[in-house]
Amino acid sequence: MNGRRTIAATAAVIILGTGAVAGASAAQAHERNPGQGIGQGKRPGPGGPETGHKSQVKDRWLEQRINRTVTETAKSDLKAAMAAARTDFKAALDAAGDDATARAAARDAYRSAVAAAILAFDTATLPADQLGPVTDYRAAVESATETLRSAVSSAKQDFKASTADAQATLKEALAAATNRDERKAAFAAYREAIQPAREAERAAVNAATNTFKAAIEAARTALQSAIPQA
């Protein structure tokens, strides 16, 4: 499976599975194009939070099961915290340049800042007996999302490693090709050679997706058990 399509399909699973902002996906979208994808658009879920506080914290499934009392102060505090997180993230990315380790650290810091802002918002707007279960639920969703993200990344890397020889053979064949038919034959041979790796990647992503869905369902069940009155 093409790497970009793999990530896009997986992100769609996250959106459909939770309707919640995972923080990291928004950070990744912002890294690709700082200023876009964070605080813009109207689609809730990873990569498309709405301006202000609403989609930054609103998991639609969750919101239907809790008793939240939102004040203007809570909203403004969350908005300010999110704005600061975005500003710090952009500055960290600019400072990191092409340093992959530094960019990863910037994403981690952004996730932590978003999580802290959401926790503060939940603390200010939820009944005391619901705060703990909601915090646990959010942690479970984030853990499931990170596990899924890691599994997809690993599947992509495994595909890349297992098709390296085929890539090299393709390059050699194309360099030696003298006409269109020979180039077509080279690509056909390449596609056949990588098919097992492609199927393995697809199977790994499907398994990770199923694990993710199960984890989300378990998190939801736990929340409903903890606050059955909601």
Side-chain angles (χ1 to χ4, degrees), residues 9-126:
T10 304
V13 171
I14 297 173
I15 294 170
L16 293 174
T18 67
V21 171
S25 296
Q28 290 169 342
H30 186 61
E31 180 180 352
R32 288 192 298 271
N33 190 1
Q36 299 293 322
I38 293 181
Q40 298 186 16
K42 294 184 178 182
R43 184 184 65 190
E50 180 179 333
T51 300
H53 77 284
K54 293 183 180 179
S55 289
Q56 297 285 2
V57 297
K58 182 168 284 188
D59 174 331
R60 292 178 179 176
W61 180 91
L62 172 64
E63 294 301 319
Q64 293 173 355
R65 289 160 178 81
I66 57 178
N67 302 313
R68 191 187 295 282
T69 302
V70 180
T71 64
E72 289 302 318
T73 297
K75 288 193 294 185
S76 62
D77 287 349
L78 178 61
K79 183 176 181 179
M82 289 296 186
R86 291 192 295 268
T87 298
D88 291 346
F89 181 54
K90 184 178 184 304
L93 288 181
D94 290 342
D98 295 329
D99 186 331
T101 300
R103 296 181 80 83
R107 287 192 294 272
D108 289 342
Y110 177 77
R111 294 173 195 166
S112 295
V114 168
I118 292 173
L119 176 59
F121 182 74
D122 284 343
T123 301
T125 60
L126 289 175

Side-chain angles (χ1 to χ4, degrees), residues 125-164:
T125 60
L126 289 175
D129 62 343
Q130 293 187 2
L131 179 59
V134 170
T135 300
D136 291 344
Y137 168 79
R138 290 197 190 280
V141 169
E142 175 59 21
S143 177
T145 303
E146 181 57 33
T147 297
L148 177 60
R149 183 183 298 110
S150 178
V152 171
S153 178
S154 293
K156 180 180 178 182
Q157 292 303 315
D158 288 346
F159 175 82
K160 183 177 180 180
S162 62
T163 58

